[in-house]
Amino acid sequence: MTSNLEILQQQDPDVYAALKGEEQRQKSGIELIPSENYTFPEVLSTLGSVFTNKYSEGYPGRRYYGGQEYTDQIETLARDRAKAVFKCEHANVQPLSGSAMNQAVYLGLLEPGDTILAMDLSHGGHLTHGAPVSHMGKLFNFVRYVTNPVDGSIDYDQVRKDALEHKPKMVLCGYTSYPRDIDYAKFKAIADEVGAITMTDASHFGGLVAGEAMANPFDFGFDVVTTTTHKSLRGPRGGMVLCKKEFASKIDKSVFPGLQGGPHMNAVAGIAVTLKRAQTQEFKDYAEQVLVNSKTLANELMQRQASLVTGGTDNHMMVVDTMESYGLDGRVAEETLDKVNITTNKQIIPDDPLPPLRPSGIRIGTPAATARGMGEADMKQLGEWIDRCLRSPEDEAVIGEIQGAVETFCKKFPVPGL
Ligand code: DSN
């Protein structure tokens, strides 16, 4: 029988060639962008499955289209598993991705114009945390806290002052570029003082919470946690809103029909199988190893005199000030590492004097490398290669040598699902 891939090859050789190229790129390079990962093989199966054919507006047992016996099954499995994994009372697994899930929370629980206290994008927050260029930044009154200029960590005294002054309806923590853990007890105490709803955007570290390697905001009484499903959780591209029961109805109405129409049921099936994986000891070990690897790589870079924002990491990522460490802006650093097939991304650092497309640093993370089975010795090796490349960006002999070594190294670590 002709496989679907063979049909793609015959029908559309251009797209097939790009797909094969991307497969090869993923196999022969080292992925260190902290928000990326390799999903599980069974997730790839669900994404390319018949669930992609189905419209399922509504929720299990209450749909606007017929033929829902199997979509109801998978959505119920996904919701129940999400509740078990994250120890929460309610889960909505329909958001199409990270931005949509955060928008659904603000629009469902607040009124336009309400004040939200959240982390500034340039200090590690996300676009949807109120960046002025985002629609959310225009619709709500975001007050954005910044990090401590001395050590780059969250200044909880300042967050409290901001809360007391601006009386937000919601206090939001979570980040896309911040290498430390969050003190949820402090955030909760601050929010309680002003009667605000507590929300964590755990997009980056949802998998590490699921694997019990990092603290769970619900253990501190948080009201809402959002997470994407494709980063440290290793699932399909998607988002989830997890919350206390008292917010369940407002959240569900906000996701559908408030913000979205038909959910992507192939992704919902992928979320269900991911959350089954997340309950295994193997996944807990993976989450733990992501953190050990991150610390090891950060220490290796720092021993080689690289300057890291906050001087280290507690989570899966580090932010290297490449300008200070190597005299290279983040774009040049990213492009230099691209030459040896080590993929990172340029990143603004707190109070960056440079613009976002040519910022002062890069972000490095370990979820994908760990998913391929790399351990501490491998992280030390990566640290050496990264440091040597960035010290000699123009030295073709060094770049050529490391490129060859990376290619040989990658053969030892098969990409899951490929
Ligand atoms: N694009 C994600 C990241 O790289 O952190 C955030 O949306």
Side-chain angles (χ1 to χ4, degrees):
M1 205 173 79
T2 318
S3 73
N4 289 345
L5 213 51
E6 285 163 339
I7 294 170
L8 173 65
Q9 185 176 16
Q10 287 156 14
Q11 282 295 316
D12 196 331
D14 297 331
V15 168
Y16 178 80
L19 190 151
K20 284 288 159 192
E22 176 61 14
E23 242 181 56
Q24 191 50 36
R25 190 193 71 78
Q26 293 192 14
K27 283 185 193 162
S28 60
I30 301 168
E31 183 53 70
L32 292 179
I33 293 175
S35 49
E36 294 192 11
N37 215 328
Y38 302 106
T39 194
F40 298 108
E42 66 270 29
V43 173
L44 293 176
S45 299
T46 57
L47 289 176
S49 73
V50 290
F51 283 119
T52 205
N53 299 336
K54 191 74 195 103
Y55 255 123
S56 306
E57 270 111 325
Y59 290 102
R62 277 186 309 118
R63 305 274 192 192
Y64 291 82
Y65 292 74
Q68 303 290 347
E69 53 269 52
Y70 301 110
T71 48
D72 276 7
Q73 267 179 32
I74 56 161
E75 187 168 353
T76 303
L77 275 174
R79 293 200 301 196
D80 289 348
R81 288 175 184 170
K83 286 191 276 181
V85 166
F86 289 95
K87 301 179 183 69
C88 61
E89 292 171 355
H90 182 72
N92 188 306
V93 296
Q94 292 194 5
L96 301 181
S97 208
S99 294
M101 80 197 173
N102 286 345
Q103 289 164 11
V105 176
Y106 308 150
L107 293 162
L109 304 187
L110 306 172
E111 295 298 324
D114 277 354
T115 299
I116 304 174
L117 184 59
M119 196 180 207
D120 192 80
L121 175 67
S122 65
H123 286 245
H126 186 245
L127 272 172
T128 56
H129 299 181
V133 291
S134 74
H135 289 316
M136 293 300 106
K138 292 175 186 128
L139 210 51
F140 293 94
N141 175 37
F142 277 91
V143 175
R144 298 188 303 276
Y145 54 87
V146 295
T147 51
N148 182 328
V150 180
D151 64 6
S153 60
I154 294 172
D155 181 344
Y156 292 92
D157 292 334
Q158 188 57 48
V159 174
R160 180 168 178 268
K161 276 189 201 143
D162 288 340
L164 293 176
E165 182 184 343
H166 298 282
K167 303 268 183 302
K169 291 264 172 60
M170 175 180 280
V171 171
L172 166 60
C173 59
Y175 49 78
T176 62
S177 184
Y178 179 70
R180 296 294 176 184
D181 203 355
I182 292 171
D183 189 332
Y184 296 108
K186 281 195 181 149
F187 267 112
K188 173 76 175 129
I190 291 167
D192 283 352
E193 261 191 277
V194 295
I197 293 170
T198 39
M199 169 176 170
T200 301
D201 177 352
S203 288
H204 261 257
F205 49 93
L208 307 175
V209 174
E212 297 174 358
M214 291 189 80
N216 184 335
F218 287 118
D219 288 341
F220 298 84
F222 266 58
D223 297 311
V224 182
V225 176
T226 55
T227 181
T228 51
T229 49
H230 49 277
K231 296 188 175 91
S232 52
L233 194 55
R234 300 189 55 190
R237 302 196 86 85
M240 297 193 286
V241 181
L242 313 162
C243 64
K244 289 182 176 166
K245 214 179 204 131
E246 64 188 279
F247 301 108
S249 164
K250 283 185 174 170
I251 290 293
D252 283 353
K253 282 186 191 139
S254 183
V255 173
F256 172 84
L259 192 65
Q260 297 182 177
H264 294 179
M265 293 313 286
N266 56 339
V268 171
I271 291 172
V273 298
T274 301
L275 291 168
K276 182 163 189 210
R277 284 266 194 169
Q279 295 176 53
T280 62
Q281 186 56 45
E282 201 184 349
F283 190 84
K284 290 184 173 67
D285 294 344
Y286 162 74
E288 199 58 55
Q289 190 64 44
V290 167
L291 298 187
V292 172
N293 280 352
S294 184
K295 257 198 187 353
T296 308
L297 180 51
N299 286 342
E300 183 65 29
L301 290 170
M302 288 189 297
Q303 270 169 24
R304 291 170 179 276
Q305 311 306 321
S307 167
L308 268 54
V309 172
T310 78
T313 178
D314 296 329
N315 58 24
H316 62 296
M317 77 164 92
M318 62 216 74
V319 183
V320 185
D321 183 337
T322 52
M323 215 50 206
E324 191 179 313
S325 311
Y326 306 104
L328 304 177
D329 67 52
R331 184 166 114 191
V332 174
E334 178 194 293
E335 287 171 0
T336 302
L337 293 171
D338 272 344
K339 285 189 202 158
V340 299
N341 295 344
I342 293 179
T343 312
T344 60
N345 74 281
K346 58 180 127 3
Q347 180 64 43
I348 37 178
I349 62 170
D351 299 318
D352 204 325
L354 298 179
L357 283 173
R358 207 160 195 135
S360 296
I362 55 172
R363 247 181 0 164
I364 295 179
T366 52
T370 308
R372 267 174 99 163
M374 294 177 200
E376 287 115 284
D378 306 309
M379 293 302 118
K380 288 186 183 159
Q381 178 63 81
L382 287 182
E384 184 205 317
W385 284 333
I386 291 169
D387 187 73
R388 282 182 62 211
C389 274
L390 296 182
R391 288 196 189 283
S392 313
E394 306 291 347
D395 188 330
E396 282 178 22
V398 170
I399 298 291
E401 177 211 319
I402 295 175
Q403 188 189 31
V406 167
E407 206 177 311
T408 310
F409 176 83
C410 281
K411 293 202 175 107
K412 289 197 292 178
F413 300 101
V415 171
L418 294 189

